[in-house]
Amino acid sequence: MLRSLHAKAIALKPTHIEVKPSNIWVGVLRTDRDANGELVQDDFLWVKCNAGTNVGKIHERFEQINEGKPSSLLKYNGKPINMNGTVGPFNTFRDNLVVFEAGDAEAGDPEARDDTGNPLSPKDANARLPPHHLFPSKPSVKGTMDENTIPAQTIKSETPTPHGSYNRVSTNIQPTQSPATSAEHAPRTKVERGQFSEFRRLWHNDYRNQFPDDTEEEFEKRMLSYWLTSDSSTAPPPSSHTATALSSSGQPPLPVTEVNSQEQKHFQLSALLGDASPQVWESSVEASVKLLDTLRAPLADKMASSPDADHWIQQIDNLKKQAVKTRTVIGVVGNTGAGKSSVINAMLDEERLVPTNCMRACTAVVTEISYNNEDEPYCAEIEFITAEDWAKELKVLFQDLLDSDGNVSRECTNEDSDAGVAYAKIKAVYPQKTKEDISKSNVEKMLKEVSHILGTSRNIKESNSTIFYKKLQGFVDSKEKSTGQKDKDGKKPKKEREFWPLIRVVRLYVKSPALATGAVVVDLPGVHDANAARAAVAEGYMKQCTGLWIVAPINRAVDDKAAKSLLGESFKRQLKMDGGFSAVTFICSKTDDISIMEAQDSLGLDEKMGPSWEELDRLSAKQKALKKQLEKFNETKNVYEDVANDADEQIEVWETLQESVNDGKTAFAPKAKSASKKRKAGDKDRPSKKKKQKKSSDAGDSDFIDDEVEAGDDSHDSDEDQGNDSSEDGEPLTEDQITTKLQELKTTKKDARKQKAEIKEKVEEVRKQLKEMQAAESKINSEMSALCISGRNQYSKGAIQQDFAAGIKEIDQEIAAEEDEENFNPEAEVRDYDEVARSLPVFCVSSRGYQKLQGRLLKDPHVPGFTTVEETEIPALQAHCEKLTETGRAANCRAFINKLSSLLNSLTLWASSDGTGANLTAEQKAREARYLEKGMEALETRLEKATKSCAKELAAELQDNIFDRYQAAVQAATHGSIDTTTQWGAPVCRENRAAGGLYWATYKAVCRRDGSFTNAQGLHDWNAQLIEPMIKLIAPGWEKTFTRRVQVVMNSFTKTVPSILKKFHHDIEDRARKLGTGLASLSMLLHQLTVYEQILKDLASSTKDMVIAAQKDINREFVPVIQGAMQPSYTWCAEESGPGQYKRMKSFMTDHVEQQRNSMFQQSADEVHRQLLGMVNTMGETLADRTDEVFIQIKRDYRSVLGGGAVSQGEVIPRVHRQARREVNKTLGGVERKISRVIGLDVEESEAEVADEDAKSEPEGDKSNMVRVKNEDGHDSSAFSTVRPTPHSSSNDESDESNESDAEEEEDEDDEEEDDDDDDDDEGDEEEE
């Protein structure tokens, strides 16, 4: 019968839907159809799925489509089948077609009977598998009862023992033996042995192929175990999925009574996303936030007063707060004139945004640029310093500006002097004040005048970039120097207040694609600004920087060894301690500024560029010849123009004579004028006859033109001699003579104009050739420029990378020599410096070239050497900017998705329990709760121990690598302090300023600024110089600890925690197997543990980041302690005045250092020691708190599964609460589909599903179509698609609709009756009490 029905189904299966080799068609024959009769396609429900699809889901779909009709069961080969199995085993004919029959569930299975011979109910008919509690349990001492003892009444089967072909397991099996190993389970009767032999014969090869590594004994046990749990001796083996599960646990499947629990979905969305791009991860987070809102709705609406709902709502809200985009701070540093602002503008695709010509302001104001999410495309926030900060700076400015008599110093006119800088700042903020006003004023008065500005912020919003730029310039730009010009009234124009000295930071928001991924570009003028507030801002950004971009002009980058020396030794040492060398990017700007000849010589391009130079020479010679030819053509053209003009004049004369003759008057030929005047005026511009003949000959009409030109000239001369008056000496002119003469003149004029037009055409042709040659010359020059630029770029990149690696090597060797001079080996390399060089990103960019190619800078000349924007390397820099954000974005999203997976799994466990499945008595639940609590206490203890161990390991690393070096470091700083102090006051060395001391003015300026001052010679930081010997010795251990050892410590934590969780779960699982309860959900809990492990791994990573961020603050605490100890000497020296003050200042400074050096360096070390230990404690507490949060979630999950839920036996959850759980479950069912759609996996869905997702308007009964998701390997996931039969007529549609309506009404009635039953149960409980 099976083969016959299968053959019919083959001919009827759908062919209009595309299927893959991994797909299986399942046809379910309707209940009212006879398998032996004639069948059509619509007699089947057709389902396209895969081998791993659950049979129960196909049955559920069949039930939904036939809603309103009697319930059914599925049969295969005439026998009911297990609903917890998969489709794969029924692919008996290996043609990817499976045929089921739908039977009447109320009639049951006529072939399944109990011990008395009565047919089993549908529930009992499906319960064909041995209960899970038949597996071994932990033996207990006879006569005792403890938490590990299972009551005897729990060790029994909840279903009758089937007979017939299914009667393979005795109900008297002892609980201490396993069915796979117990002798009682071996085939005993002849019939049983025959059945097992037949099963083994049929499936031996298939099983052996699946498990080739099994020993013969293991394989025999496996075959026996599968035979015990199969439907018949000829049933096919389980699918690979089932086989894997069995092989890992060594146990048969779960009993059918736990099928619903087993089908609970577990979430591990990180695995679904895999190695997706950060954009996909972010899209998934956005979709997840919407999902959380959907989950929150039923909890808030229907369970508002429930503690469970309050808990889940809080969990959802807390998780939503973590769905924020990460900021990746990129600091841009470089010297004045390096082209930082131009590079930033080009990278942002803006012509003018960051000020590029703001003089002082450009080097003083910190500018932060991030992506703009507002409607206006351009926004700015200008934050001003506080009154306290301005008061401190004004005090210093007054000290620099005023002399000992309280008057403005004469040095104020020198812009490079301290007094000149102070005067410029004060005049910028107070433009109306004269020198006298300034000398008579004080800090309090001047502070009051700008009190309305200090501590405030100004906002700018514009849609036009030009207007925005001008408004921004009004705040950050220094006004041009006064030209001394006066207005119309003779008065100088009134100066306006400038704001740049008062600005703390400028924040710009633009819609630049380069910033759309979270990059924040910060234009850092330097961390040593004279304004303490701005210096603090710059220092704060430096600590946050994920990337550090160093900008230098390419023509100085290599020659000045910019990569090696630009930032200074102290800065590089700080970068080393921060672990920031890997964050450095070098940018060579102004690559379009190049000399071709110099580049050719330097780069050895003579051979490559030789042909180009030859072609340029050829083009130049040809252009020269064409220009000469053009000059000749122009001369000839002028001759013909003169001839035409002369002929025109004579025509007018002769026409007058003709009119006279026509009037009857006597007319004589015109007198010839004196030719002298005409010759003087005209001959100098007219070529000789010989030259004219040559020109005419070139024109190709020499015979005629030569004669006419000569005749024209003769008549012209004659006319000039005769003048315009007729000569009465000759014969009177006749009309024919006049007519002939006029005809000659007109012919001459016509021919002259014709020749002139021909010459003009030749001139245009020559000019066209010149333009073509100039274009070719420009192209060759551009190609040569491109070749030189490319060669210099390539050379510069390699040289800068090598210089950078050499600079790091020098620091490493210097530190190694000072740490252990006796064993120092300069040939031993601390790290792979070739790799350091290769890892340094270097970009050689042309901002002007990029802007011109993008259609900007229209008034600027063409920039040679670039034909595409890629050649300017600005697009590569933009891509690099986006790339820097990927690590942080992915990590942040991954942590969110892991927490989301955990929350969804916990919600699934909670929502799947409606309280009706509680099968433990109150006494049993209390006993199991106590056992679970003990396990939880043990888990909590182990986790606490792991967190404490982590903190202890980090403290040990600090002791070994940093604290143990303190003594030597303090001694080194103490011994070197006197020499350092003496060097400050040494005689000035004009040839090498760094080798000598300081001028007295600079010395005093340093004291006025508490030991740190920047001038034209650079930074003078006395506090850092004093502590430098100490830092040199501590830096290697510091870098080792925080760049390598912290990671090792956190890795140890991430390896320890999973083993703790797995041990806990193993203990709980063993206990649950003895009881036979919650086993299916334990499988989900095991998956949930995997998610928790990932969350704890993310926690370890975030803890490491917290430690790294904290150490950046702490390693900067050495200097402030020294500054505090030196403060009295700075104050004393700053106030010293009068003759001999410089000597007294140096003497006092030396004495003070002598007194403090034995204590201040130790105090500095102690302060850092205290803060490091505080950091360890904070890290330990944070790690413990976050781990405890995970522990609480674990505790809740396990309690919800193993205690039978929060509802005791016999109790029922209120209907509204059950509805809320169903809604949550429904939402959870579509989570992976939504995420799959976001990440672009192949998701097929019907229009009905789209409507259900978007409009939520699909009728409850119309759910025949499911989703099919294609995994990366091309196979389908557990979801499937259903093809509904086409209705035969409209009457069927109406019948279906009425059935659906009736079903909905019945469901509502059932809910009401259920509520009544709940009330009755409650009343009954009260009566019993």
Side-chain angles (χ1 to χ4, degrees):
M1 176 181 174
L2 175 62
R3 189 176 299 278
S4 172
L5 180 60
H6 191 85
K8 294 178 181 179
I10 291 176
L12 298 175
K13 70 177 181 180
T15 58
H16 63 284
I17 296 179
E18 181 183 358
V19 295
K20 298 181 179 180
S22 60
N23 293 141
I24 293 178
W25 275 114
V26 175
V28 181
L29 184 65
R30 292 185 177 183
T31 309
D32 55 351
R33 299 294 189 270
D34 184 7
N36 296 320
E38 292 294 330
L39 300 176
V40 295
Q41 189 180 70
D42 289 349
D43 292 335
F44 292 87
L45 164 71
W46 295 100
V47 180
K48 184 180 72 172
C49 59
N50 57 49
T53 301
N54 191 278
V55 176
K57 291 188 176 181
I58 297 178
H59 180 254
E60 289 175 5
R61 181 62 56 233
F62 185 82
E63 290 284 287
Q64 289 176 357
I65 293 176
N66 292 275
E67 190 171 356
K69 300 179 182 179
S71 59
S72 61
L73 54 80
L74 298 185
K75 296 186 292 183
Y76 183 79
N77 197 18
K79 298 178 182 179
I81 57 178
N82 285 329
M83 297 303 170
N84 65 322
T86 56
V87 172
F90 296 98
N91 188 19
T92 309
F93 296 94
R94 298 295 189 268
D95 58 356
N96 288 356
L97 175 65
V98 175
V99 182
F100 293 142
E101 298 175 75
D104 188 355
E106 295 181 359
D109 180 9
E111 298 188 18
R113 301 181 177 275
D114 60 15
D115 293 334
T116 62
N118 298 321
L120 292 175
S121 66
K123 176 181 177 182
D124 295 331
N126 283 330
R128 305 185 180 282
L129 302 181
H132 231 290
H133 58 251
L134 297 178
F135 301 151
S137 63
K138 184 177 180 180
S140 60
V141 180
K142 184 177 181 180
T144 62
M145 192 76 169
D146 57 15
E147 301 298 332
N148 293 323
T149 304
I150 303 176
Q153 60 267 28
T154 65
I155 310 177
K156 64 181 181 179
S157 174
E158 296 181 358
T159 59
T161 305
H163 286 277
S165 63
Y166 307 100
N167 187 15
R168 300 187 188 154
V169 183
S170 171
T171 57
N172 296 323
I173 296 177
Q174 298 300 320
T176 57
Q177 295 176 332
S178 169
T181 58
S182 173
E184 293 190 33
H185 288 123
R188 293 183 175 181
T189 67
K190 186 175 181 180
V191 174
E192 289 177 339
R193 287 195 297 271
Q195 290 174 346
F196 177 66
S197 298
E198 179 66 12
F199 177 85
R200 195 177 187 283
R201 182 185 66 80
L202 290 173
W203 304 110
H204 177 277
N205 293 338
D206 286 356
Y207 277 111
R208 175 51 78 181
N209 290 335
Q210 291 186 34
F211 308 103
D213 297 331
D214 280 2
T215 63
E216 286 301 324
E217 183 180 359
E218 291 172 344
F219 182 71
E220 192 68 20
K221 291 180 180 179
R222 188 184 301 280
M223 291 289 293
L224 177 59
S225 174
Y226 291 162
W227 174 75
L228 289 171
T229 58
S230 62
D231 286 341
S232 67
S233 63
T234 60
S239 66
S240 60
H241 173 74
T242 307
T244 303
L246 289 169
S247 66
S248 62
S249 63
Q251 304 291 356
L254 300 174
V256 143
T257 55
E258 298 191 11
V259 167
N260 292 334
S261 297
Q262 176 150 353
E263 293 178 3
Q264 291 174 354
K265 192 163 188 64
H266 68 275
F267 297 95
Q268 197 167 356
L269 301 180
S270 292
L272 181 64
L273 290 165
D275 296 329
S277 66
Q279 291 85 351
V280 172
W281 280 91
E282 288 173 342
S283 299
S284 301
V285 171
E286 293 176 5
S288 300
V289 172
K290 297 178 181 178
L291 169 68
L292 291 175
D293 291 333
T294 306
L295 290 171
R296 192 184 191 281
L299 298 171
D301 297 342
K302 298 182 179 181
M303 300 182 64
S305 59
S306 169
D308 278 357
D310 293 342
H311 168 77
W312 295 122
I313 289 173
Q314 183 180 2
Q315 293 292 316
I316 289 172
D317 292 344
N318 290 341
L319 184 57
K320 285 174 62 179
K321 293 177 183 178
Q322 300 177 36
V324 294
K325 289 188 175 181
T326 56
R327 278 166 48 99
T328 303
V329 179
I330 301 172
V332 185
V333 298
N335 291 332
T336 303
K340 284 189 304 175
S341 300
S342 298
V343 169
I344 294 174
N345 284 334
M347 194 195 72
L348 300 178
D349 273 311
E350 295 288 344
E351 182 172 339
R352 297 180 74 187
L353 185 70
V354 180
T356 55
N357 62 344
C358 57
M359 298 169 58
R360 296 182 190 273
C362 187
T363 61
V365 177
V366 177
T367 305
E368 173 194 308
I369 312 160
S370 54
Y371 191 76
N372 182 15
N373 295 304
E374 301 290 334
D375 294 333
E376 293 290 347
Y378 301 97
C379 299
E381 179 187 1
I382 299 147
E383 182 182 342
F384 296 99
I385 62 177
T386 63
E388 182 182 0
D389 292 330
W390 183 235
K392 291 180 180 178
E393 185 167 7
L394 275 176
K395 182 180 178 181
V396 175
L397 293 177
F398 271 115
Q399 291 175 340
D400 288 342
L401 181 58
L402 303 181
D403 58 21
S404 58
D405 297 330
N407 298 321
V408 175
S409 173
R410 295 179 180 178
E411 291 291 322
C412 69
T413 57
N414 181 4
E415 293 182 353
D416 295 330
S417 66
D418 299 337
V421 173
Y423 184 69
K425 277 192 175 182
I426 293 176
K427 285 292 289 183
V429 181
Y430 308 95
Q432 306 306 321
K433 289 189 177 294
T434 63
K435 294 180 181 179
E436 184 178 358
D437 293 335
I438 294 173
S439 62
K440 292 181 179 180
S441 186
N442 55 45
V443 173
E444 290 74 18
K445 291 181 180 179
M446 303 187 82
L447 196 64
K448 189 175 182 180
E449 294 184 28
V450 292
S451 60
H452 63 288
I453 299 174
L454 300 174
T456 65
S457 296
R458 302 287 179 88
N459 296 310
I460 303 174
K461 292 186 178 181
E462 279 295 337
S463 58
N464 184 280
S465 61
T466 303
I467 298 174
F468 175 79
Y469 178 80
K470 290 180 179 178
K471 287 186 176 181
L472 182 63
Q473 288 291 87
F475 286 96
V476 303
D477 195 6
S478 293
K479 304 298 184 291
E480 297 294 337
K481 297 179 182 179
S482 176
T483 60
Q485 295 181 351
K486 299 180 181 181
D487 57 17
K488 296 180 180 179
D489 299 330
K491 297 180 180 179
K492 291 184 179 180
K494 184 179 179 180
K495 292 185 178 180
E496 297 180 356
R497 173 175 285 127
E498 299 177 20
F499 295 97
W500 62 265
L502 305 178
I503 293 176
R504 180 175 180 269
V505 61
V506 174
R507 298 183 181 90
L508 304 182
Y509 304 92
V510 295
K511 295 185 180 297
S512 170
L515 306 179
T517 57
V520 179
V521 176
V522 184
D523 187 353
L524 291 172
V527 296
H528 306 295
D529 194 277
N531 182 291
R534 283 193 293 269
V537 171
E539 182 70 24
Y541 278 115
M542 285 298 297
K543 290 185 288 187
Q544 299 177 42
C545 284
T546 301
L548 182 65
W549 291 1
I550 303 171
V551 182
I554 192 168
N555 55 4
R556 297 206 309 261
V558 178
D559 296 338
D560 295 349
K561 303 292 183 183
K564 185 177 178 181
S565 60
L566 174 66
L567 301 177
E569 294 300 320
S570 61
F571 187 92
K572 285 190 291 186
R573 186 168 288 108
Q574 181 67 65
L575 203 62
K576 180 181 176 70
M577 294 181 71
D578 288 344
F581 279 135
S582 60
V584 171
T585 296
F586 207 93
I587 301 173
C588 299
S589 61
K590 304 181 181 181
T591 58
D592 52 273
D593 183 8
I594 190 169
S595 169
I596 295 180
M597 291 298 296
E598 292 179 3
Q600 176 181 326
D601 294 339
S602 302
L603 300 173
L605 300 175
D606 297 338
E607 184 176 350
K608 287 185 177 180
M609 296 176 64
S612 298
W613 285 117
E614 292 176 0
E615 181 65 15
L616 283 177
D617 292 340
R618 187 186 69 80
L619 288 173
S620 178
K622 195 170 182 180
Q623 287 185 67
K624 188 176 181 180
L626 287 174
K627 287 179 180 179
K628 288 183 177 180
Q629 188 177 357
L630 186 63
E631 290 178 1
K632 293 179 180 179
F633 282 154
N634 285 330
E635 290 177 357
T636 304
K637 186 181 69 171
N638 292 335
V639 169
Y640 287 120
E641 187 174 354
D642 289 343
V643 170
N645 291 336
D646 291 344
D648 197 41
E649 292 175 1
Q650 293 187 49
I651 288 172
E652 291 180 3
V653 173
W654 284 92
E655 285 178 347
T656 303
L657 294 174
Q658 188 179 39
E659 290 176 2
S660 298
V661 171
N662 291 337
D663 292 340
K665 298 178 181 180
T666 303
F668 297 92
K671 290 182 179 181
K673 287 186 177 181
S674 174
S676 60
K677 184 176 181 181
K678 187 73 176 178
R679 289 293 182 187
K680 289 179 182 177
D683 286 359
K684 63 181 181 181
D685 296 326
R686 186 182 300 119
S688 65
K689 291 182 180 179
K690 188 176 182 180
K691 185 179 292 187
K692 282 189 261 183
Q693 290 172 1
K694 183 179 180 181
K695 294 284 184 182
S696 300
S697 176
D698 292 341
D701 198 8
S702 58
D703 294 338
F704 172 74
I705 291 298
D706 284 350
D707 293 340
E708 289 300 316
V709 169
E710 291 175 6
D713 284 347
D714 291 342
S715 63
H716 178 72
D717 293 342
S718 175
D719 289 342
E720 285 184 347
D721 293 338
Q722 295 175 3
N724 291 330
D725 298 331
S726 300
S727 174
E728 297 181 0
D729 296 337
E731 294 292 331
L733 294 174
T734 64
E735 185 176 354
D736 292 339
Q737 289 178 327
I738 294 175
T739 301
T740 303
K741 185 63 176 179
L742 283 173
Q743 187 64 37
E744 291 176 357
L745 291 173
K746 289 180 179 179
T747 302
T748 300
K749 177 181 176 181
K750 181 179 179 181
D751 291 340
R753 287 184 174 179
K754 180 180 178 181
Q755 295 298 325
K756 177 184 175 182
E758 291 178 357
I759 294 296
K760 187 175 181 180
E761 289 180 0
K762 293 180 179 179
V763 168
E764 292 299 324
E765 180 63 26
V766 171
R767 286 177 176 172
K768 182 180 179 181
Q769 292 180 24
L770 281 172
K771 286 183 179 179
E772 291 176 352
M773 291 183 183
Q774 289 170 355
E777 190 177 49
S778 177
K779 182 180 179 182
I780 293 174
N781 280 323
S782 183
E783 291 174 351
M784 294 172 67
S785 296
L787 182 61
C788 292
I789 290 172
S790 175
R792 185 176 65 174
N793 289 352
Q794 185 176 0
Y795 170 77
S796 298
K797 288 181 180 180
I800 289 171
Q801 288 173 332
Q802 293 300 323
D803 288 345
F804 182 76
I808 296 178
K809 184 175 183 179
E810 285 182 5
I811 293 178
D812 289 341
Q813 290 180 342
E814 181 183 357
I815 292 173
E818 293 179 357
E819 187 178 18
D820 188 0
E821 187 174 2
E822 293 182 358
N823 298 319
F824 169 63
N825 181 10
E827 296 180 359
E829 295 188 347
V830 177
R831 64 188 86 200
D832 186 352
Y833 295 104
D834 290 336
E835 180 59 30
V836 171
R838 288 191 297 269
S839 64
L840 175 68
V842 180
F843 296 91
C844 299
V845 303
S846 171
S847 303
R848 290 179 61 244
Y850 178 79
Q851 298 282 32
K852 288 293 292 183
L853 290 172
Q854 292 290 71
R856 308 186 187 101
L857 303 179
L858 299 178
K859 296 182 180 180
D860 288 5
H862 171 69
V863 180
F866 305 99
T867 56
T868 63
V869 292
E870 285 73 21
E871 292 175 356
T872 67
E873 295 198 25
I874 291 292
L877 183 62
Q878 293 170 333
H880 179 64
C881 179
E882 296 178 21
K883 185 75 174 177
L884 288 177
T885 67
E886 291 185 355
T887 301
R889 290 160 57 204
N892 186 56
C893 293
R894 187 175 288 107
F896 178 88
I897 293 296
N898 286 332
K899 292 179 181 179
L900 174 67
S901 299
S902 171
L903 177 61
L904 296 180
N905 287 332
S906 298
L907 273 171
T908 301
L909 291 169
W910 170 79
S912 300
S913 174
D914 58 4
T916 59
N919 58 357
L920 297 179
T921 64
E923 179 182 355
Q924 291 171 343
K925 290 182 68 175
R927 183 183 299 110
E928 295 312 308
R930 288 195 297 271
Y931 179 82
L932 180 60
E933 194 62 32
K934 285 185 178 180
M936 286 295 174
E937 290 176 0
L939 175 62
E940 185 176 18
T941 301
R942 294 189 185 102
L943 291 176
E944 288 179 354
K945 184 178 179 181
T947 57
K948 290 179 180 178
S949 176
C950 184
K952 188 176 180 181
E953 288 180 26
L954 180 57
E957 293 290 346
L958 294 176
Q959 184 67 45
D960 293 342
N961 299 316
I962 298 177
F963 299 154
D964 288 348
R965 306 187 184 194
Y966 266 8
Q967 184 176 359
V970 169
Q971 289 178 357
T974 302
H975 294 157
S977 58
I978 297 298
D979 292 339
T980 301
T981 308
T982 304
Q983 178 65 27
W984 301 337
V988 176
C989 180
R990 298 183 183 276
E991 290 77 14
N992 184 4
R993 294 292 300 274
L998 305 176
Y999 287 109
W1000 77 270
T1002 305
Y1003 195 102
K1004 195 161 191 175
V1006 175
C1007 295
R1008 286 171 179 162
R1009 290 163 177 81
D1010 300 332
S1012 181
F1013 174 63
T1014 303
N1015 61 4
Q1017 282 70 47
L1019 172 66
H1020 306 282
D1021 192 341
W1022 289 356
N1023 305 307
Q1025 291 175 22
L1026 287 170
I1027 201 71
E1028 185 175 4
M1030 184 174 171
I1031 298 297
K1032 284 182 178 180
L1033 293 180
I1034 294 176
W1038 193 287
E1039 183 198 20
K1040 177 183 177 182
T1041 300
F1042 292 106
T1043 59
R1044 299 191 293 274
R1045 300 307 302 171
V1046 170
Q1047 184 65 56
V1048 173
V1049 170
M1050 301 317 300
N1051 287 344
S1052 176
F1053 174 79
T1054 56
K1055 291 178 180 178
T1056 302
V1057 168
S1059 60
I1060 294 174
L1061 296 179
K1062 288 176 182 177
K1063 184 180 187 309
F1064 163 75
H1065 180 82
H1066 179 73
D1067 294 342
I1068 297 299
E1069 186 178 31
D1070 284 348
R1071 174 74 175 187
R1073 287 190 182 281
K1074 298 172 186 177
L1075 290 173
T1077 59
L1079 293 172
S1081 295
L1082 275 173
S1083 175
M1084 181 175 179
L1085 286 175
L1086 183 59
H1087 290 290
Q1088 177 75 320
L1089 281 186
T1090 303
V1091 177
Y1092 283 135
E1093 290 173 11
Q1094 188 60 47
I1095 291 176
L1096 290 171
K1097 183 177 180 181
D1098 294 338
L1099 172 58
S1101 178
S1102 63
T1103 303
K1104 183 201 75 172
D1105 294 340
M1106 181 193 73
V1107 170
I1108 298 301
Q1111 69 89 14
K1112 290 182 180 180
D1113 290 326
I1114 296 173
N1115 69 37
R1116 289 166 170 79
E1117 291 300 317
F1118 288 103
V1119 173
V1121 176
I1122 301 301
Q1123 179 180 330
M1126 294 291 294
Q1127 190 61 50
S1129 63
Y1130 294 148
T1131 303
W1132 192 94
C1133 293
E1135 295 176 351
E1136 185 64 12
S1137 62
Q1141 59 176 293
Y1142 190 28
K1143 182 177 180 180
R1144 292 193 298 272
M1145 288 162 57
K1146 293 189 290 184
S1147 177
F1148 186 89
M1149 185 67 68
T1150 303
D1151 293 342
H1152 182 82
V1153 171
E1154 180 65 38
Q1155 294 172 6
Q1156 295 292 324
R1157 63 175 183 159
N1158 292 319
S1159 60
M1160 64 179 181
F1161 297 110
Q1162 186 62 50
Q1163 291 172 0
S1164 178
D1166 292 343
E1167 175 62 21
V1168 173
H1169 182 274
R1170 182 187 66 80
Q1171 293 198 26
L1172 285 175
L1173 292 182
M1175 177 198 69
V1176 172
N1177 293 333
T1178 301
M1179 183 273 288
E1181 292 174 0
T1182 302
L1183 189 61
D1185 291 342
R1186 300 287 175 80
T1187 304
D1188 188 62
E1189 292 175 4
V1190 176
F1191 166 75
I1192 292 173
Q1193 292 298 322
I1194 294 174
K1195 190 174 184 179
R1196 183 181 181 89
D1197 289 346
Y1198 277 79
R1199 279 182 172 177
S1200 66
V1201 170
L1202 299 177
V1207 181
S1208 301
Q1209 191 175 28
E1211 295 182 3
V1212 179
I1213 296 176
R1215 181 176 64 87
V1216 177
H1217 289 192
R1218 293 200 304 275
Q1219 288 178 349
R1221 294 186 188 222
R1222 283 198 295 269
E1223 289 185 29
V1224 170
N1225 247 333
K1226 180 181 177 182
T1227 302
L1228 293 173
V1231 169
E1232 288 194 354
R1233 181 175 67 247
K1234 293 179 180 178
I1235 300 298
S1236 298
R1237 189 185 302 120
V1238 169
I1239 64 179
L1241 290 180
D1242 183 16
V1243 179
E1244 294 182 3
E1245 55 188 358
S1246 67
E1247 295 180 359
E1249 283 180 312
V1250 175
D1252 183 58
E1253 288 292 329
D1254 301 333
K1256 301 295 183 183
S1257 59
E1258 180 186 353
E1260 188 69 24
D1262 189 13
K1263 296 181 180 178
S1264 60
N1265 293 282
M1266 294 294 287
V1267 178
R1268 179 173 60 82
V1269 181
K1270 184 173 70 175
N1271 298 326
E1272 293 181 357
D1273 58 358
H1275 298 295
D1276 292 342
S1277 68
S1278 59
F1280 55 87
S1281 300
T1282 307
V1283 181
R1284 295 190 61 181
T1286 305
H1288 295 290
S1289 64
S1290 60
S1291 61
N1292 289 342
D1293 294 341
E1294 295 174 359
S1295 175
D1296 291 342
E1297 291 176 0
S1298 63
N1299 289 338
E1300 291 176 0
S1301 177
D1302 293 342
E1304 292 174 356
E1305 293 177 1
E1306 290 174 5
E1307 183 178 358
D1308 293 339
E1309 292 174 1
D1310 292 342
D1311 289 340
E1312 293 176 2
E1313 292 175 1
E1314 198 174 62
D1315 291 340
D1316 295 339
D1317 293 341
D1318 293 345
D1319 296 338
D1320 294 341
D1321 292 341
D1322 294 341
E1323 293 174 2
D1325 292 340
E1326 292 175 0
E1327 291 175 1
E1328 290 178 2
E1329 291 175 359

